[in-house]
Amino acid sequence: MRAKRTGMGAAMAVGALAAVSLAFAPSALAVTPDTATINADCGSFGSGAATLTATQDGTAATITVTSAVTAPIALSQDSISSTLTLVNNTTGGTSVFSGTKNPAIAAGDPVTVGPLDGTVASGDSLEAYGGSLQLTVLGITVTCTATGLQSPGPFVFD
């Protein structure tokens, strides 16, 4: 009976230690907000609302963009080369996210690209207004620019 109580006491101690360890574990890095919207002008290819979704893992960050451009024809997976340039309010420069990732897109659907890869520093505040998104599809380059500030505000990275 005594061994049974000792085993239960040890199990409870291990559980308490695990809970305390989780409470003091460093939190995962995060970007705030994780989603923002802009109004984008893509010239003769269209204009309208676009959504940007950001993630962060240390200094590595990704942004996925669902653009204001609709696909005139079906596009296969990973067939769009994309470069997203954001204004870095912290450094006064720009930050670039790029890649060739996109889902398969049906004709008439909004063009979604990403996740586009980039590098950030702790405290970086990135804004789409003043930057651009370049999409190259079948040798045609489309450039989209934000017509105003992103909402609810710039991406701030931990």
Side-chain angles (χ1 to χ4, degrees):
M1 184 75 159
R2 185 175 179 159
K4 193 175 195 180
R5 274 191 259 168
T6 303
M8 285 181 59
M12 288 175 59
V14 168
L17 188 58
V20 168
S21 296
L22 285 174
F24 289 105
S27 60
L29 295 176
V31 56
T32 309
D34 59 355
T35 302
T37 58
I38 60 169
N39 285 316
D41 180 1
C42 302
S44 61
F45 294 95
S47 61
T51 303
L52 292 80
T53 304
T55 64
Q56 178 183 6
D57 184 9
T59 59
T62 64
I63 297 181
T64 300
V65 181
T66 301
S67 74
V69 175
T70 56
I73 60 171
L75 300 169
S76 60
Q77 180 177 341
D78 300 336
S79 62
I80 303 171
S81 177
S82 307
T83 302
L84 174 65
T85 304
L86 300 174
V87 173
N88 189 323
N89 295 325
T90 307
T91 66
T94 59
S95 294
V96 176
F97 293 78
S98 60
T100 56
K101 295 192 183 290
N102 63 274
I105 303 167
D109 283 353
V111 173
T112 297
V113 295
L116 305 176
D117 298 319
T119 303
V120 295
S122 180
D124 275 356
S125 173
L126 305 182
E127 167 68 53
Y129 186 60
S132 66
L133 172 65
Q134 286 192 326
L135 308 168
T136 302
V137 184
L138 304 171
I140 300 169
T141 299
V142 177
T143 301
C144 300
T145 57
T147 59
L149 296 174
Q150 68 189 47
S151 176
F155 294 118
V156 178
F157 295 86
D158 283 343

